[in-house]
Amino acid sequence: MKIVVLKFGGTSVGSIKKIKNVSKIIISYLRKKFKVIVVSSAMSGQTNRLVKLTKEISHNILPAEYDSVVSTGEQISCSLIASTLNEAGYLSRSWLGWQVPIFTEGKHSHSRIVNINKKNIVNYLKKGGVPIITGFQGINSQNRITTIGRGGSDASAIMIAKSFKAERCVIYTDVDGVYTTDPNISPKAKKIKKISYEEMLEMASLGTKVMQPHSIQDARLHRIDIEVRSSFNNNPGSIITKKKNISKNNIIRGVSFTKNDSKVTLVGVKDRPGVAASIFEPLFKNSINVDMVVQNISSNKKETDLTFTIKNEDLNKTKKLIKKNNKIKFKNLIIDDKVAKVSIVGVGMITTPGVTFRMFNALAKQKINILVISTSEIKISVLINRKNLKKAVDVLHKEFKLDN
Ligand code: ASP
Ligand code: MG
């Protein structure tokens, strides 16, 4: 069987008109003799609305009930897609996570798919049917409905593609691929034809909003090729694949950024073992994600400064937690909530010397001050003042020859 998995994001199924368009896309694959498995998100805005309803009751309703509520958007979109296909004369039906079933493990709202029952779906495909499976949801060993994290239907599609040994997994969304940087900020952004899992994972984690990072990890682990494309036009998309499949290796594949960061500095903290752990423990316990961390070398061997970044939305909570943390002493707390993080990403930098210098030099020429730096094998991130964001993106895009 030549199977293709087509995943539609919320905007692609955002109205009945758009769902009719989606059914045309599905039919085009059937005409090419593919067996099609569809995975869909909820109609855009739905899941947010459902989350809000739960919050109107309480900010901590039971996790199992929370998942049961927020997973319902997918039931609607999937049945609407199936019905549209039925109207056009095709055999199609919806499948909820528990009906497949899609088995998950782990905590509610952050579960991971571990196993998918294939039998019924395979039989249906053999009959010529088009199964429309809800993304984002599954069940656990207690038979409760689970969800796998916001934006999780990407991961559902990848795991389904893996289980059914699909030839392709196509992610339909509202942008026609992965770009070298955000086209909304830089008109020079170019569509990337092929990108490695590693680069895509970094770019997604560093702010490029195309796919959910978890789903790329899953794709990488199981070697599933992904095509990202738009459901609104016919433009060829971007392929996310293994490094080996990419012939043209630029040093830098893209420039990613986030602009909702805050920088927190604790001035004059005691320089002794365990201090950093005491600072971060309450943040961790409150699910506050700390991103970049720097600790200065202490000049007097007694005290040091510690700087870290978090998302703006976590700033108030972080301030409170630090102020009431009696395990730590410091002289001053300095907050900057107007910073942005710009990152260059590319597997090519592993083998190319001088990338760091070129990045810093290009920024220096624009008189952009670097506040914090962090690096990994295939990325370099710098924290800068938010007002310099566009300038920084433009100059790095040009420096690493992504403009042409
Ligand atoms: N509907 C879910 C969400 O909004 C899952 C998804 O869109 O992938 O998070
Ligand atoms: Mg979505």
Side-chain angles (χ1 to χ4, degrees):
M1 267 199 288
K2 208 169 72 162
I3 296 177
V4 62
V5 171
L6 308 180
K7 183 262 170 177
F8 295 97
T11 43
S12 297
V13 295
S15 67
I16 296 299
K17 195 172 156 213
K18 287 176 181 168
I19 287 177
K20 285 185 177 160
N21 175 49
V22 157
S23 81
K24 285 196 188 122
I25 295 174
I26 297 169
I27 292 166
S28 74
Y29 283 88
L30 296 172
R31 293 212 171 112
K32 285 185 223 144
K33 302 287 173 247
F34 277 107
K35 299 281 183 195
V36 182
I37 302 176
V38 174
V39 178
S40 184
S41 296
M43 297 170 84
S44 49
Q46 278 294 326
T47 312
N48 286 343
R49 190 181 66 87
L50 295 164
V51 169
K52 235 171 106 193
L53 287 178
T54 70
K55 303 270 188 251
E56 279 176 36
I57 295 172
S58 148
H59 277 265
N60 34 29
I61 69 167
L62 290 176
E65 299 306 342
Y66 177 89
D67 278 357
S68 180
V69 174
V70 302
S71 60
T72 55
E74 274 71 11
Q75 175 166 351
I76 299 172
S77 54
C78 287
S79 292
L80 290 173
I81 297 170
S83 303
T84 311
L85 286 169
N86 293 158
E87 283 298 305
Y90 292 85
L91 180 66
S92 180
R93 62 155 280 195
S94 61
W95 248 283
L96 303 184
W98 64 267
Q99 292 173 314
V100 176
I102 295 175
F103 295 103
T104 64
E105 273 177 3
K107 280 192 185 161
H108 275 284
S109 303
H110 301 284
S111 298
R112 301 297 298 267
I113 296 173
V114 287
N115 194 15
I116 298 172
N117 181 26
K118 297 196 314 207
K119 209 176 107 219
N120 299 330
I121 307 263
V122 167
N123 286 340
Y124 195 66
L125 288 170
K126 280 186 184 153
K127 276 202 313 201
V130 185
I132 319 289
I133 306 177
T134 50
F136 185 47
Q137 54 170 275
I139 51 168
N140 63 17
S141 55
Q142 273 90 54
N143 223 4
R144 299 301 307 255
I145 290 171
T146 55
T147 61
I148 61 171
R150 292 304 305 272
S153 34
D154 287 337
S156 305
I158 304 286
M159 294 309 280
I160 288 169
K162 180 219 157 201
S163 286
F164 291 88
K165 300 202 169 55
E167 268 180 31
R168 269 199 249 171
C169 180
V170 190
I171 305 286
Y172 279 96
T173 174
D174 51 3
V175 292
D176 59 4
V178 185
Y179 280 76
T180 50
T181 193
D182 185 347
N184 295 320
I185 187 168
S186 168
K188 295 264 167 70
K190 298 276 176 316
K191 197 190 299 174
I192 302 172
K193 281 201 186 100
K194 280 188 183 174
I195 180 169
S196 66
Y197 300 117
E198 290 78 7
E199 291 165 327
M200 189 67 244
L201 189 57
E202 284 285 9
M203 285 177 66
S205 313
L206 294 167
T208 300
K209 290 189 202 69
V210 178
M211 283 182 73
Q212 190 217 32
H214 264 320
S215 67
I216 302 159
Q217 244 163 357
D218 288 337
R220 176 183 177 207
L221 193 64
H222 303 297
R223 299 318 217 193
I224 311 281
D225 282 358
I226 308 167
E227 184 184 354
V228 180
R229 57 187 302 164
S230 167
S231 64
F232 303 122
N233 62 44
N234 252 327
N235 301 342
S238 302
I239 309 280
I240 307 169
T241 184
K242 38 182 178 285
K243 272 183 265 178
K244 229 180 62 196
N245 292 343
I246 304 173
S247 49
K248 185 171 168 269
N249 260 317
N250 296 359
I251 303 172
I252 298 304
R253 187 76 60 198
V255 181
S256 301
F257 60 86
T258 53
K259 47 186 175 186
N260 54 343
D261 307 80
S262 284
K263 177 167 75 75
V264 179
T265 304
L266 277 76
V267 181
V269 282
K270 289 269 173 303
D271 191 15
R272 40 159 217 267
V275 170
S278 313
I279 295 172
F280 292 126
E281 188 186 6
L283 303 184
F284 160 71
K285 282 193 175 150
N286 282 277
S287 305
I288 292 173
N289 200 6
V290 174
D291 183 18
M292 306 168 105
V293 183
V294 267
Q295 185 184 327
N296 287 345
I297 292 175
S298 153
S299 48
N300 60 6
K301 297 221 164 77
K302 283 187 199 127
E303 283 166 351
T304 179
D305 301 342
L306 190 127
T307 298
F308 59 90
T309 65
I310 47 168
K311 292 280 151 248
N312 279 340
E313 67 210 36
D314 291 330
L315 183 59
N316 281 334
K317 210 166 168 190
T318 301
K319 272 197 251 177
K320 274 189 209 136
L321 288 168
I322 289 180
K323 283 181 184 155
K324 72 169 197 208
N325 185 348
N326 49 25
K327 280 198 200 147
I328 50 169
K329 282 206 179 67
F330 54 89
K331 286 192 179 135
N332 203 356
L333 186 65
I334 302 173
I335 308 272
D336 183 350
D337 60 1
K338 290 186 183 56
V339 291
K341 185 172 76 166
V342 184
S343 309
I344 55 173
V345 175
V347 290
M349 71 171 75
I350 302 175
T351 49
T352 315
V355 177
T356 317
F357 165 74
R358 275 172 70 184
M359 180 183 198
F360 296 169
N361 196 41
L363 294 170
K365 278 192 193 147
Q366 298 294 317
K367 303 208 165 28
I368 297 171
N369 191 26
I370 300 173
L371 306 170
V372 181
I373 301 163
S374 80
T375 62
S376 79
E377 223 183 3
I378 65 162
K379 74 116 203 272
I380 307 169
S381 301
V382 294
L383 196 73
I384 58 170
N385 191 309
R386 199 175 298 148
K387 70 170 201 277
N388 291 325
L389 179 62
K390 183 175 161 44
K391 225 186 340 172
V393 169
D394 285 343
V395 69
L396 294 174
H397 203 265
K398 182 157 183 233
E399 172 65 32
F400 292 100
K401 313 243 176 316
L402 298 171
D403 282 2
N404 26 43

